Amino acid sequence: MHWLRCVVAEWQLLRSRLVRSRLGIWLLLLGAAGVWLAARGGPLTVLAPHVAMLGAVLGVAFTAASDGDRAALSLILTHPTTPLAVATGRWLAALTAAGTLVLALLFVTGAASFGPAGLLVRAGAAACGAAAAAAGCALVAGAAGGNVLAGVLFLYIAVPSVVSADTLGAGAGAAAGPTAGALVLELLPGVWRYAALARGDLVGWLHATCWAVGGVAGTARLLSRPAM
């Protein structure tokens, strides 16, 4: 029970950041962009995971990866808590931010009749899985390199991650650059992979689960280092 209270205490940081930082504004703009694209025929099973992943990275950037948050970790860990509880709470905060964003997106698109109810449910499930993976990856990046790495991950998810690794690898030939790019697309959370979550893709769900669990565990490991 004490561990759960520690997790909830870290998760509650999201509430203050939504009110006292630009996180709420960025999430609102991101959601508006998603609604705009959906209204113009964008596939919701792609848009929802895409928006959710970007929202999860923003959640980490504003709750865990900033210089102030990283500097405060040494003080936080002197309290009766654990690195795993801190990492889990921050992951839940980012996931909540992304989940709220996706719920708003699906509500607006559903009210505007941009898609059938079954499609909205599948898109929502895919978005939740994608957000969990992106939050785990962003936590590790933020713990290792702060908002610089979190920003790089945001840009990667925004554009290159839409490209399928199979597509890039097929045109790679003998070039080392495209081959390395295909490997990055295979390993990191990506829109191209998580769009298939709406179809129940088992490999995609395993990939997302590994990033969600591994991201939290890896972040806890980084936080437990004496340097932190």
Side-chain angles (χ1 to χ4, degrees):
M1 289 299 295
H2 174 72
W3 186 83
L4 288 177
R5 286 195 294 269
C6 293
V7 170
V8 171
E10 297 299 326
W11 169 75
Q12 288 177 338
L13 178 66
L14 174 65
R15 181 172 55 186
S16 64
R17 296 302 164 84
L18 284 173
V19 175
R20 300 177 183 178
S21 73
R22 295 186 179 90
L23 175 59
I25 296 175
W26 281 112
L27 291 176
L28 182 61
L29 292 174
L30 187 57
V35 171
W36 184 81
L37 291 172
R40 278 149 185 79
L44 201 56
T45 54
V46 176
L47 284 175
H50 201 172
V51 169
M53 293 175 74
L54 293 174
V57 176
L58 285 175
V60 170
F62 279 90
T63 62
S66 68
D67 292 339
D69 286 318
R70 297 176 74 214
L73 287 174
S74 58
L75 176 61
I76 293 173
L77 292 175
T78 61
H79 296 167
T81 187
T82 65
L84 182 59
V86 173
T88 303
R90 302 297 172 94
W91 176 81
L92 281 175
L95 184 59
T96 301
T100 303
L101 174 63
V102 169
L103 283 176
L105 171 63
L106 295 179
F107 177 80
V108 173
T109 54
S113 300
F114 296 152
L119 177 64
L120 296 177
V121 173
R122 293 195 301 272
C128 289
C137 184
L139 272 176
V140 174
N147 271 341
V148 173
L149 286 185
V152 171
L153 179 62
F154 184 91
L155 293 176
Y156 160 77
I157 292 174
V159 182
S161 78
V162 180
V163 180
S164 168
D166 295 334
T167 300
L168 186 60
T179 302
L183 180 61
V184 170
L185 288 170
E186 286 282 0
L187 293 178
L188 291 180
V191 178
W192 74 271
R193 184 186 296 279
Y194 296 153
L197 297 181
R199 302 192 302 269
D201 181 65
L202 180 59
V203 174
W205 280 107
L206 288 174
H207 192 276
T209 301
C210 287
W211 266 114
V213 176
V216 173
T219 303
R221 178 69 176 176
L222 290 172
L223 295 182
S224 65
R225 295 186 307 180
M228 296 300 294

